[in-house]
Amino acid sequence: MMEVSTVRDPSPATSPYRTTDPGTTAGPDGTTTPGESTGPYRWRWLILVAMLVAEVMDLLDASIVNVAGPALEESLGAGPVGLQWVIGGYALTLGAGLVLGGRLGDRYGRRRMFLIGLSAFTATSLLCALAPTIELLILLRLLQGAAGAVLLPQGLGLLRENFDGPELTKVFAVFGPVLGLGGIIGPVLGGFLVEGDFLGLGWRSVFLVNLPVGIVALIIAARFVPKKPGHPGVSVDTIGAGLVAAACALLVLPLNQGQQDGWPLWTWLCLAASVVGFALFALRQRRAAAAGREPLVTPGLLRKPAFTVGLGGIALFFGGLVGTQLVLTLYLQIGRQFSAGDAGLGNLPLAVGTAIGGALSGAFLADRIGRAVLQIGPLVQLAGAALLWFQLDGLSPASFSIWDIAAGVTLSGVGAGLVIAALFSFVLAAVDDDEIGSASGVLSAVQAVGGSIGVAIFGSVFFARARSADFTGAFHHALVVQACLLVAFLAVTLLLPRRGRPEDEQHGIGAAGPTGQEPAAV
């Protein structure tokens, strides 16, 4: 029998102390209800383990496929557009569904939606590994992103439900760096799995690795995450969610297909329709709030210039960051004939630079110089891009190693790290405390969709020049696009608040939604 622990019950209607285990709750009459623990217990740190495992799985799948391009081309006949959809399609449905996923957690309970999302994510990972055609793989990647949109928003909410005070601070001290590491090691792990060709699985092992990890996380979460009912009174705006999804699809579709098809009329009509879709979504949110219903996004956020401009800044920054990481991997594999494993390791200078920049920003720069860190970051990135440009020009066609461009890549990573560590807190500084939950979901959604757009734009730019085997020129063109995005982002930073929010407010701690429950934070 599992050992039990004695915890303090804050409710004056019950005994001052009650005995609970991870699967029981003591009621006023002393009886227990299986699976409905409220309050802390000795096994609660396993909740953090389950959250970390699931969220890292989600983040890994955003970048782990980057190095599988040649393998997918050889196995399934994937062309440039197909590869862009395999990589960017996941981020598209993830971003389009994040806000809805958070609201579903409020409505039906975060534990329930976490288990549903994790089950669907694990199942779609298996199906991706079994995909016989590139078209079916793309469809399954879209479904995998949708499952991630249900899974990802629940993590922080579940941690806030089960930890408080100093313990919650410790949780986030672990949570943030681990998630950052998950995004960084994706290409490295992907390269190792593809090149290792374990059991002859090749690129399919990139998806199969999720199965044992996902099953373990499911077992831990089902056993140790306490049940807590949702709030049936919370409404779910499915029409609004549909408008967002349609608008995102209409935006990314022509960006992926336009270059290959010669930018026909339909691509421009889709882009125009996406603008209309986003406008209709904003209008619906305002009308829902005016009618006393709960919108997916708090309309007051859209009336804050610093927040709306900040959304553009996040899309610009992460579009450039994700796009250039993809181009680096494509250049190494296609242009320099690196194996998948070597291309994965080729991303390490970027990862190291990002870690250094993040440490500098998080440790003292953001607190000491405020918003200026967001302006120093893109300037450092521009310097890294300029250095990389000249390093590419001086390369010998006969011999090449990652060390030939490591300095420029590392410097670009340092600039990115300076921004990543501080960007969200400065954008959230523009919103009120009761809007943090909704704002966090919107910011994370924009980040994901911005990454999908970056994959589409940078992939199209690279492959347009790479068709003539001018891979250095293709990389140069990508650096020009990155420079334009960084200059635009630099202009946006001038409109952000001078100081960021305190760390606890960034995570929405203590903020309540319109019905009194904690809002979904992503």
Side-chain angles (χ1 to χ4, degrees), residues 146-229:
V150 175
L151 168 67
L152 195 60
Q154 317 309 331
L156 292 179
L158 284 170
L159 293 175
R160 292 204 313 272
E161 287 178 358
N162 293 281
F163 297 89
D164 55 21
E167 282 190 340
L168 189 60
T169 302
K170 294 177 182 178
V171 164
F172 285 125
V174 175
F175 199 74
V178 171
L179 293 191
L181 181 63
I184 290 172
I185 67 173
V188 179
L189 178 59
F192 170 75
L193 292 172
V194 173
E195 186 172 355
D197 194 21
F198 301 101
L199 301 177
L201 293 170
W203 62 267
R204 299 180 190 275
S205 61
V206 167
F207 298 107
L208 288 174
V209 72
N210 287 335
L211 264 65
V213 177
I215 291 171
V216 169
L218 269 171
I219 294 172
I220 294 175
R223 179 67 185 90
F224 295 105
V225 176
K227 291 182 179 179
K228 185 176 181 181

Side-chain angles (χ1 to χ4, degrees), residues 245-478:
C248 290
L250 289 169
L251 177 61
V252 176
L253 174 63
L255 294 177
N256 270 326
Q257 298 285 151
Q259 178 67 37
Q260 177 172 288
D261 296 347
W263 296 102
L265 177 61
W266 72 263
T267 59
W268 300 105
L269 292 176
C270 283
L271 291 173
S274 72
V275 175
V276 175
F278 286 121
L280 289 174
F281 172 74
L283 179 62
R284 180 173 178 82
Q285 301 309 290
R286 291 194 180 98
R287 289 183 173 177
R293 301 190 303 271
E294 295 175 24
L296 284 174
V297 177
T298 305
L301 293 173
L302 305 178
R303 292 192 291 269
K304 298 179 185 294
F307 180 78
T308 53
V309 170
L311 291 180
I314 287 175
L316 290 169
F317 177 78
F318 282 100
L321 180 63
V322 174
T324 50
Q325 185 179 22
L326 172 64
V327 166
L328 172 62
T329 304
L330 292 174
Y331 173 77
L332 294 176
Q333 283 193 276
I334 300 175
R336 293 294 173 174
Q337 303 301 309
F338 272 38
S339 66
D342 289 339
L345 292 174
N347 282 270
L348 281 180
L350 181 64
V352 171
T354 302
I356 294 172
L360 291 173
S361 178
F364 59 91
L365 283 181
D367 289 338
R368 294 188 180 184
I369 64 176
R371 185 182 62 188
V373 73
L374 298 181
Q375 293 148 3
I376 295 174
L379 292 175
V380 173
Q381 283 182 278
L382 286 169
L387 177 58
L388 184 55
W389 179 292
F390 290 111
Q391 286 179 319
L392 290 168
D393 273 341
L395 291 178
S396 168
S399 62
F400 172 80
S401 75
I402 190 60
W403 296 108
D404 293 327
I405 59 173
V409 173
T410 303
L411 188 59
S412 295
V414 171
L418 290 172
V419 175
I420 292 173
L423 179 56
F424 281 80
S425 65
F426 281 92
V427 177
L428 287 174
V431 307
D432 298 330
D433 289 344
D434 62 346
E435 298 171 330
I436 291 177
S438 180
S440 298
V442 173
L443 294 181
S444 296
V446 170
Q447 174 189 347
V449 174
S452 179
I453 294 171
V455 168
I457 294 175
F458 280 81
S460 297
V461 168
F462 180 85
F463 284 117
R465 192 63 180 261
R467 291 191 185 100
S468 60
D470 182 9
F471 299 107
T472 297
F475 208 152
H476 278 158
H477 282 196

